[in-house]
Amino acid sequence: MKKITAISGIVLMVLSPCAGVSYAKESNNLIQIKGSDTIVNLSQAWAEEFMKEHPEASLAVTGGGSGTGIAALINGTTDIANASRPIKKKEIDDAQKAGYYPEEFKVAVDALAVIVNPANPVKELTIDQLSGIFTGKITNWNEVGGNNEKILVLSRERNSGTHMYFLENVVRKGHEKGPEEYAPSVLMMPSSEAIINETSQSTSAIGYDGLGYVTPEVKTIAVAKTKEGPFVQPSKETATNHTYPVWRYLYMYTGFKPQGVTKAFIDFALSEKGQKIVEAMGFVSLPKKE
Amino acid sequence: MRRFKEFIIEKIILLSGFACILFVILIFFFLAKDGLALFKFSSPWNFLFGTLWSPLSEPPQIGILPLFLGSLIVTIGAAVISVPLGMACAIFIAEIAPKWMREILKAGVELLAAIPSIVIGFIGMTMLSPIVKHIFHLPTGLTALTGSIALAFMAIPTMVSIMEDSISSVPRIYKEGSLALGATHWQTIYRVIIPAASSGIVAAIMLGIGRVIGETMAVMMLTGNASVMPHTILAPVRTMTATIAAEMGETVRGSEHYFALFAIGLVLFGITFLINFLADMARHRKNK
């Protein structure tokens, strides 16, 4: 008798965390959305609107990073994974091994603004110059037409899809597996707000952030692909017509072809109303299909 | 029947006691399983003494020396600030303060312990870092020193309460004997009471340092997280804990980077284990 009590106690202790996880999969009206911190606020806004229209559905949105979201998709603990970068080959392989076939949806466009302190006289930079600054080849503002001042380089942390995107498309100039890497002296900031905060305080700082996060306390830089120009300021218009070079898609992934509430939610996000929310949250809506 | 009940309760308590040890062992194995998998890709020497931490490059550069030194410099800084402050505070509370003030001070110190680390990080980011930047004319206020100051405030409550306990438990006759021989109050404190309480004081310092090394949120917000080899306490550094916290979210499961983060966890586990062990040794020396 006593042994049974003890054993069942242990079994309960061991099982209870698992029970919480599997619960999410069983109920069809409760869907989990997990992943990129870039999209977490946007997903939350979508979820709130969606639940107003579909009171029977309940959506739980959490952040944690694109990698966390996709790992959760592979483990079967989320229905939708948000990502601010496309899924990697290794992740697709892992998903297939676990019996999932990830489906990709582009849900919004994000432009990354390069920002400096408003007191900094530099107005425009090329991708080459940006790459030089972030890899540590260019260390003084006077090398790119600014004051004689050491550059303080700020980046997002490695857990951020924004970090990866900027690495592949600016630091490595579009060569995904290029040899360039952020210099060790680059400060890794834990959040978008931390970059804005530090840039507004330090005249020698340069950083990057999603367009939606930029405040009047910092100045955006016009960016060009080559030194012939054109140098383009980031904005919703220049990101939509792709004249501004530093933009990317934001993604949602599902484990299978979406059904039921999951499908309804993704359709909602892609609808005209959903894309209005994209604009309201400071991102750029998807180009209208021709 | 009563005996039977008692027997069950006894066994449940026994089981709970063993459960703690079991969990530690399980955590250790879990860490070791994924942490040691790293060494299929990279040698332990390169991992421990490599000076470049750049896990997203091709091929990944996984050397934790800059991170280890980052943790070390922040911890030493915090210890230098918190040990004298904590010790002075503990002596004052235990020996000098009148009884009514003692109660207020003790409650205050305990309240300091209850402040969540993210709040300390937040205050540090908005208040402390601009001050550090202005005083030392730095390009940024996010430095090892900023992290050290914030962490010192988190270590002080642990230190003070354990030190205060051990100072208070010095037998009264020691003090009375010393005073009777004509020593002043101050002479009695630093010649008699502190040596008598030394093992407890050492244990307190060790546990305070253990708390500092494991701290994550505040250092991530305050130290700038640049993975350079630290040359000065006035430059940004990246600590081991902040690295794990910051990079776990985005890493691809089962990649070299993923295993490397677990290996860092293993190193941290080793360090805190060692510190706790030393603290325990120091505390038990007293009983002999």
Side-chain angles (χ1 to χ4, degrees), chain A residues 19 31 52 68 113 125 136 152 167 177 191 221 232:
Chain A
I31 68 169
K52 265 186 221 157
T68 311
L125 291 167
L152 175 70
L167 177 67
K177 301 269 175 205
S191 67
I221 292 273
V232 186

Side-chain angles (χ1 to χ4, degrees), chain B residues 207-219:
Chain B
L207 290 176
I209 288 176
R211 168 122 169 73
V212 167
I213 283 194
E215 174 48 42
T216 308
M217 209 56 224
V219 285

Side-chain angles (χ1 to χ4, degrees), chain A residues 123-155:
Chain A
K123 287 196 178 66
E124 47 188 41
L125 291 167
T126 65
I127 297 276
D128 270 334
Q129 285 172 325
L130 284 170
S131 171
I133 290 172
F134 279 87
T135 51
K137 281 194 211 85
I138 299 174
T139 55
N140 196 307
W141 277 112
N142 63 16
E143 292 173 63
V144 291
N147 301 329
N148 179 17
E149 195 172 17
K150 233 181 138 238
I151 305 178
L152 175 70
V153 190
L154 308 173
S155 160

Side-chain angles (χ1 to χ4, degrees), chain A residues 66 68 158-159 181 188 198 202, chain B residues 54 139-140 224 246-247 249-250:
Chain A
S66 307
T68 311
R158 294 190 181 92
N159 68 348
E181 179 59 42
M188 299 287 170
E198 196 58 25
S202 176
Chain B
S54 176
T140 171
E247 298 180 13
E250 198 69 6

Side-chain angles (χ1 to χ4, degrees), chain B residues 34-276:
Chain B
D34 279 346
L36 295 178
L38 172 73
F39 301 123
K40 277 187 287 189
F41 302 96
S42 139
S43 78
W45 178 265
N46 285 346
F47 170 69
L48 289 174
F49 298 102
T51 57
L52 198 59
W53 175 260
S54 176
L56 300 176
S57 319
E58 294 283 336
Q61 296 293 319
I62 293 181
I64 66 161
L65 195 59
L67 313 180
F68 179 78
L69 292 178
S71 282
L72 193 71
I73 199 167
V74 171
T75 307
I76 291 177
V80 166
I81 299 167
S82 61
V83 168
L85 263 177
M87 217 153 130
C89 181
I91 292 170
F92 183 74
I93 292 178
E95 287 295 317
I96 301 166
K99 196 159 187 211
W100 61 270
M101 197 193 274
R102 185 178 306 177
E103 294 310 314
I104 295 175
L105 281 174
K106 272 176 105 166
V109 167
E110 268 149 35
L111 204 63
L112 189 61
I115 298 175
S117 73
I118 192 149
V119 173
I120 293 197
F122 188 68
I123 292 171
M125 202 167 96
T126 50
M127 313 289 290
L128 185 61
S129 102
I131 296 174
V132 171
K133 177 175 140 88
H134 281 293
I135 291 180
F136 297 100
H137 301 289
L138 300 170
T140 171
L142 301 172
T143 63
L145 178 67
T146 321
S148 294
I149 297 173
L151 287 186
F153 278 95
M154 300 171 72
I156 283 175
T158 318
M159 289 191 183
V160 170
S161 51
I162 299 174
M163 282 181 187
E164 198 261 336
D165 274 353
S166 65
I167 292 175
S168 304
S169 66
V170 170
R172 235 178 108 87
I173 40 174
Y174 286 25
K175 192 174 162 187
E176 283 167 357
S178 166
L179 291 173
L181 287 169
T184 63
H185 195 180
W186 169 240
Q187 282 168 334
T188 306
I189 287 172
Y190 88 99
R191 284 281 174 79
V192 176
I193 291 176
I194 291 180
S198 65
S199 57
I201 291 174
V202 172
I205 292 172
M206 286 302 194
L207 290 176
I209 288 176
R211 168 122 169 73
V212 167
I213 283 194
E215 174 48 42
T216 308
M217 209 56 224
V219 285
M220 187 154 99
M221 292 169 83
L222 293 177
T223 55
N225 301 323
S227 48
V228 281
M229 295 289 284
H231 296 291
T232 146
I233 199 165
L234 293 175
V237 296
R238 188 178 184 84
T239 64
M240 294 191 282
T241 45
T243 304
I244 300 178
E247 298 180 13
M248 211 50 182
E250 198 69 6
T251 165
V252 179
R253 262 174 151 242
S255 66
E256 193 175 341
H257 184 194
Y258 178 83
F259 293 134
L261 294 179
F262 275 91
I264 297 180
L266 206 57
V267 171
L268 271 170
F269 187 90
I271 294 173
T272 39
F273 183 79
L274 191 74
I275 289 175
N276 278 6

Side-chain angles (χ1 to χ4, degrees), chain A residues 7-8 11 21 46 55 86 141 144 164 166 178 183 197 223 239 244 254 261 283:
Chain A
I7 290 170
S8 59
V11 170
V21 171
W46 274 332
W141 277 112
V144 291
M164 276 312 284
F166 198 81
N197 185 36
V223 180
Y244 182 72
T254 56
V261 181
F283 295 99

Side-chain angles (χ1 to χ4, degrees), chain A residues 5 27 49 88-89 97 126 187 197-198 213 219 251:
Chain A
T5 324
S27 156
E49 269 311 304
K88 295 210 168 103
K89 178 82 181 49
K97 254 181 247 157
T126 65
L187 268 64
N197 185 36
E198 196 58 25
Y213 289 94
K219 188 174 87 171
Y251 302 89

